[in-house]
Amino acid sequence: MNDLPLEIITKVMSYIPIECVAEVASTCKLWNSILNDTVTWIQRLENIGTYAGPEILHHVLFDKAAMIKYYKMCTRNLLRNINMDKDIGSWSGENTGPNELNWSNVTGDWKIEKHVGCNEFPVEAGPAKANTVTSYMACEREQDINLAQWLPDIEKLLKDDFQLKISWKVWIAPRYDCKSSYDAELIFEDNSEIVLAEDFHLDAGKNWTSLSKRISTKNFKFSYYEMGKDRQFWAGHYGVKILNPTITVKLVKIK
């Protein structure tokens, strides 16, 4: 591979997963130099469709840890403990705090299960050990996201010629014998809201449905809110099943 032109080696190296960079870089001096070179980092950022121009590089170029955090901000799901399976079982906001499970303002009686009363998880949904399921009362939860923890100067950038592209996706399913509904929205620091799903009705069945939306914003602090319930008010956990809610962002320059 070292016999190839440098630009080709750089292109190939830019696709190496971030968690494997240190191991691959230890292979030889040339690869270590390429993997830590600014050109490779720019290519890596361009590969994922986020901005890699001089304005952003000015903030992270000479700080490898900052560059890695910016890359992770633009590639990872910003929601944590998405299926609440750190604590398998039944729980509610009264007995589980946000520091333990990442979610806050939890109301209602949630339960963690694994595709009970519906089809198995779709391959397209990605890996998952469990899903959450709601009950006959409205079950709510929120999770706060502050992008400044990933890119400290993001507020300054967003005041200039930049904006965030936020992508949302979730998989939901009913129980085979009960109707249910689902809501989701983003609540920004200025109290403005963007509805992602509003009273989305699911008839009794077994199939998983994916919902998604993309928005543009200059807000870097926001909360993700979800609510689900069954529509027949049966006692027990017959409400909507929620799997792998995902929030990803990209920083883009306004043309």
Side-chain angles (χ1 to χ4, degrees), residues 24-252:
V24 177
S26 66
T27 304
C28 67
K29 290 183 178 179
L30 175 63
W31 288 15
N32 179 70
S33 175
I34 293 173
L35 283 166
N36 288 287
D37 189 79
T38 303
V39 174
T40 308
W41 274 106
I42 292 173
Q43 182 65 61
R44 184 176 281 117
L45 293 168
E46 290 177 346
N47 290 345
I48 61 174
T50 198
Y51 188 71
E55 296 92 338
I56 187 66
L57 294 178
H58 170 73
H59 295 274
V60 300
L61 182 58
F62 301 107
D63 185 339
K64 186 178 178 181
M67 179 74 84
I68 291 173
K69 286 186 74 172
Y70 175 58
Y71 178 82
K72 287 184 175 180
M73 181 191 86
C74 298
T75 54
R76 65 175 287 175
N77 181 3
L78 296 174
L79 296 174
R80 313 311 304 150
N81 192 23
I82 52 177
N83 298 312
M84 301 196 294
D85 51 12
K86 288 182 182 177
D87 184 32
I88 302 296
S90 181
W91 61 276
S92 71
E94 296 178 356
N95 56 28
T96 310
N99 292 333
E100 184 177 350
L101 288 167
N102 298 105
W103 296 93
S104 63
N105 296 330
V106 179
T107 64
D109 185 21
W110 293 78
K111 186 178 181 182
I112 296 88
E113 60 178 30
K114 190 173 183 180
H115 47 70
V116 175
C118 65
N119 291 333
E120 294 186 0
F121 300 150
V123 174
E124 302 91 330
K129 293 188 295 183
N131 64 272
T132 52
V133 61
T134 58
S135 59
Y136 61 92
M137 64 181 76
C139 294
E140 301 172 292
R141 62 181 183 176
E142 291 183 31
Q143 193 166 143
D144 295 332
I145 296 173
N146 182 358
L147 298 179
Q149 69 176 343
W150 300 96
L151 185 62
D153 292 323
I154 193 168
E155 183 174 11
K156 180 180 182 302
L157 289 165
L158 291 172
K159 285 181 179 178
D160 297 328
D161 299 328
F162 292 87
Q163 63 181 1
L164 292 166
K165 296 283 189 180
I166 300 178
S167 297
W168 165 74
K169 189 168 186 177
V170 68
W171 291 82
I172 57 175
R175 186 181 157 101
Y176 73 93
D177 56 357
C178 188
K179 300 176 182 178
S180 57
S181 65
Y182 173 79
D183 292 78
E185 63 182 31
L186 296 180
I187 305 168
F188 295 102
E189 190 178 33
D190 61 3
N191 291 322
S192 62
E193 301 176 359
I194 291 183
V195 174
L196 303 172
E198 184 173 16
D199 199 22
F200 188 90
H201 282 196
L202 292 162
D203 291 329
K206 294 185 176 183
N207 293 330
W208 288 92
T209 299
S210 66
L211 303 178
S212 61
K213 198 165 189 174
R214 293 182 179 179
I215 65 167
S216 299
T217 182
K218 282 182 169 285
N219 292 288
F220 64 94
K221 290 183 182 179
F222 52 90
S223 294
Y224 175 67
Y225 165 86
E226 281 186 316
M227 188 274 284
K229 61 182 180 179
D230 80 48
R231 291 191 286 127
Q232 296 177 207
F233 306 102
W234 291 3
H237 294 86
Y238 291 82
V240 64
K241 303 171 191 298
I242 304 172
L243 176 68
N244 288 357
T246 303
I247 296 284
T248 57
V249 301
K250 297 286 187 293
L251 183 67
V252 299

